[in-house]
Amino acid sequence: MLNLTMKYVLNISLFLTLLSLFSSCSSKSNSGFSEGIWRATLKTGSGAEIPFNFEVTDSANQKFLDIINGKERFRVNEISIKADSVIIQMPLFDSEIRASLKNKTLSGRWIKHYADSDEVLQFNAKFNDDWRFFKVNPETKSNISGRWSVTFNTEDKKNSYVAVGEFSQENGRVLGTFLTATGDYRFLEGTVSDGHLYLSCFDGSHAYLFTGKLLNDSTIVDGKFYSGLSYMETWTGKKDDAAILPDAYSLTDLKDGNDKINFSFPGLDGKNVSLSDQKFKDKIVLIQFFGSWCPNCMDETAYLTSFYKKYNAKGVEIVGLAYERSKDFERSKKNVTRLRDRFSVPYDLLITGYTNDKAEVSKSLPMLEKFMAFPTLMIIDKRGKIRKIHTGFSGPGTGTHYTEFVKEFENTIDGLLAEK
């Protein structure tokens, strides 16, 4: 009996020792993912590095990560750490970072998942580096603050498009964005140094790098815009306080003879929703064309969620039509559900079963003459007539453009609600 007791005690002791060793090793290998600011880079196929910063925090033994772009903090809470491996799952956009951790340094890949392929960029990050382009933000005599008229040219130089640059500069640090007719490039952060401009952004879906040469405070030449693994455009800019874009309500239209729309698509619960449903009768209805892969759609969804809470009781409904990268219902449902949960979206989100190819949108709703971009927002009055179609979305990264849109848009809705 004594021998059995001793053997039992020895086995328990051995188990506790092994558990202690395992915990010690696990803690040692995980300790490198330290709380604080990290500097990360993504390398394009041409070798250009797209830098960004993130901050790691720890709450109740749960790691969180905030991606930093200017004034934006994009929270990531799905982080898996096993031994020396770290997997960072983006809460939106169907992308992830997989890296190995050693000496407070991460080395690995950012993987962006498409319907039938992946885009992969080399990823590296180092702890305790709070700089973006330069360790010391350089002093500079140049100042690019203000509004700019910008022209982008595609790599084959067959197409060009105009944009408006909006920048604010304090010493060498620059914040701002580029607005186009179909949306904006969100929160950009960078610097002016030695007669050159550097801006970057990473939001889990897109990785952007903008560079340019300052001839003076009002002219930028030799600009380059890198996006993802291999895309590149050139650009030039002239400071212009009067720079404007085409009217966002003039870009998407209906075919002649059409002033109404109807559809029947399944919601996340699998039940079909149609504009002929009773809940939409005699209501102002907004149709949001979006995708879980689209950062501008994320900004619009955040706004529409708060708008809905304010206007639903007044007689406004919203329906989101999702055009995902895949036609697979379950995969689309998973990604759209993540977006719904991220923003606590209170309105219907439907899985159209069509992809984010713009031609697919026109195929799904043949009354559309053309479809320009995601997101697009359609405004339908109480009688079911389409009154306006707004292409793109100028998010909070655009500053006054965003606040001006909100004011104009809500005035429009108030006017429609007042109609008999």
Side-chain angles (χ1 to χ4, degrees):
M1 182 69 178
L2 181 61
N3 289 339
L4 287 174
T5 302
M6 289 295 294
K7 186 180 292 185
Y8 176 78
V9 170
L10 288 172
N11 285 340
I12 290 294
S13 178
L14 178 61
F15 171 76
L16 292 174
T17 300
L18 290 172
L19 181 62
S20 176
L21 287 171
F22 175 79
S23 298
S24 175
C25 292
S26 176
S27 174
K28 183 177 180 182
S29 54
N30 290 343
S31 64
F33 199 47
S34 302
E35 291 185 75
I37 303 294
W38 292 63
R39 179 181 185 267
T41 59
L42 298 168
K43 184 171 287 188
T44 71
S46 65
E49 287 191 339
I50 303 175
F52 65 97
N53 302 97
F54 62 85
E55 182 175 13
V56 175
T57 55
D58 193 313
S59 178
N61 294 320
Q62 171 66 47
K63 295 287 188 183
F64 296 93
L65 183 153
D66 289 298
I67 299 173
I68 302 169
N69 292 295
K71 298 178 181 178
E72 182 187 49
R73 298 294 186 272
F74 184 71
R75 173 57 62 95
V76 179
N77 54 18
E78 294 184 54
I79 301 171
S80 174
I81 306 173
K82 295 181 180 179
D84 63 349
S85 296
V86 178
I87 301 174
I88 303 168
Q89 176 66 55
M90 297 300 154
L92 301 169
F93 314 131
D94 201 10
S95 78
E96 61 190 331
I97 292 171
R98 292 178 172 266
S100 60
L101 176 63
K102 185 177 181 180
N103 298 328
K104 297 186 179 182
T105 299
L106 289 167
S107 302
R109 302 171 298 159
W110 171 50
I111 307 167
K112 186 176 179 180
H113 300 291
Y114 291 94
D116 53 6
S117 64
D118 292 335
E119 182 177 83
V120 180
L121 275 71
Q122 180 182 325
F123 165 84
N124 291 283
K126 187 175 180 180
F127 173 66
N128 211 25
D129 279 350
D130 59 359
W131 51 283
R132 201 171 185 95
F133 286 96
F134 301 99
K135 287 187 178 182
V136 178
N137 221 27
E139 293 184 5
T140 178
K141 294 180 180 179
S142 302
N143 193 316
I144 68 166
S145 296
R147 181 176 294 192
W148 291 70
S149 177
V150 178
T151 301
F152 284 93
N153 298 286
T154 56
E155 192 171 14
D156 58 13
K157 298 184 179 179
K158 291 182 179 179
N159 296 295
S160 64
Y161 60 95
V162 296
V164 173
E166 287 278 3
F167 307 117
S168 63
Q169 180 180 335
E170 184 175 348
N171 296 323
R173 186 174 184 239
V174 178
L175 302 178
T177 194
F178 293 95
L179 297 89
T180 74
T182 57
D184 64 86
Y185 288 117
R186 307 196 72 251
F187 294 87
L188 302 177
E189 179 178 351
T191 188
V192 169
S193 173
D194 194 26
H196 288 79
L197 171 66
Y198 306 86
L199 294 166
S200 66
C201 171
F202 174 68
D203 57 19
S205 177
H206 294 120
Y208 294 146
L209 171 66
F210 298 86
T211 64
K213 179 181 178 181
L214 277 66
L215 291 184
N216 48 54
D217 284 359
S218 61
T219 306
I220 299 175
V221 297
D222 297 334
K224 290 183 173 59
F225 165 39
Y226 302 88
S227 176
L229 180 63
S230 58
Y231 190 77
M232 198 272 282
E233 295 178 351
T234 60
W235 65 279
T236 57
K238 293 284 291 183
K239 187 171 282 190
D240 182 358
D241 292 339
I244 60 172
L245 293 170
D247 180 7
Y249 289 105
S250 68
L251 302 175
T252 304
D253 208 347
L254 299 168
K255 291 179 180 176
D256 289 343
N258 290 272
D259 61 5
K260 293 188 177 182
I261 189 174
N262 204 0
F263 52 76
S264 182
F265 296 124
L268 298 178
D269 59 1
K271 297 179 181 178
N272 275 28
V273 174
S274 169
L275 285 183
S276 60
D277 294 345
Q278 185 64 30
K279 70 179 292 185
F280 303 116
K281 186 177 180 181
D282 300 324
K283 300 281 186 68
I284 304 298
V285 182
L286 308 179
I287 307 298
Q288 179 194 23
F289 296 78
F290 79 101
S292 65
W293 46 270
C294 164
N296 284 147
C297 299
M298 175 185 72
D299 289 337
E300 183 181 69
T301 299
Y303 166 68
L304 288 178
T305 294
S306 62
F307 169 87
Y308 185 85
K309 293 174 183 177
K310 180 180 177 182
Y311 275 85
N312 177 240
K314 298 179 181 181
V316 177
E317 290 290 345
I318 304 176
V319 181
L321 303 183
Y323 291 83
E324 295 296 293
R325 289 178 175 142
S326 169
K327 293 186 177 183
D328 179 77
F329 179 84
E330 291 302 323
R331 179 173 177 178
S332 297
K333 176 183 173 181
K334 177 183 177 181
N335 290 330
V336 174
T337 298
R338 291 167 70 91
L339 179 140
R340 180 200 65 186
D341 295 346
R342 172 82 178 190
F343 297 105
S344 300
V345 179
Y347 53 86
D348 291 317
L349 300 177
L350 312 184
I351 307 297
T352 64
Y354 293 84
T355 68
N356 59 342
D357 183 339
K358 297 179 184 66
E360 287 275 295
V361 179
S362 297
K363 189 187 300 183
S364 69
L365 298 168
M367 64 286 298
L368 290 174
E369 176 65 31
K370 56 184 176 179
F371 185 86
M372 294 283 292
F374 294 95
T376 287
L377 191 63
M378 183 178 288
I379 303 174
I380 301 175
D381 68 18
K382 297 175 186 177
R383 298 182 298 278
K385 183 178 178 181
I386 298 168
R387 299 291 287 270
K388 288 187 173 186
I389 304 176
H390 187 279
T391 301
F393 187 75
S394 296
T398 67
T400 57
H401 294 272
Y402 173 70
T403 55
E404 287 169 0
F405 163 78
V406 170
K407 182 179 180 180
E408 178 277 327
F409 178 74
E410 295 187 3
N411 283 340
T412 295
I413 301 303
D414 288 336
L416 292 176
L417 286 170
E419 292 180 353
K420 300 298 184 184

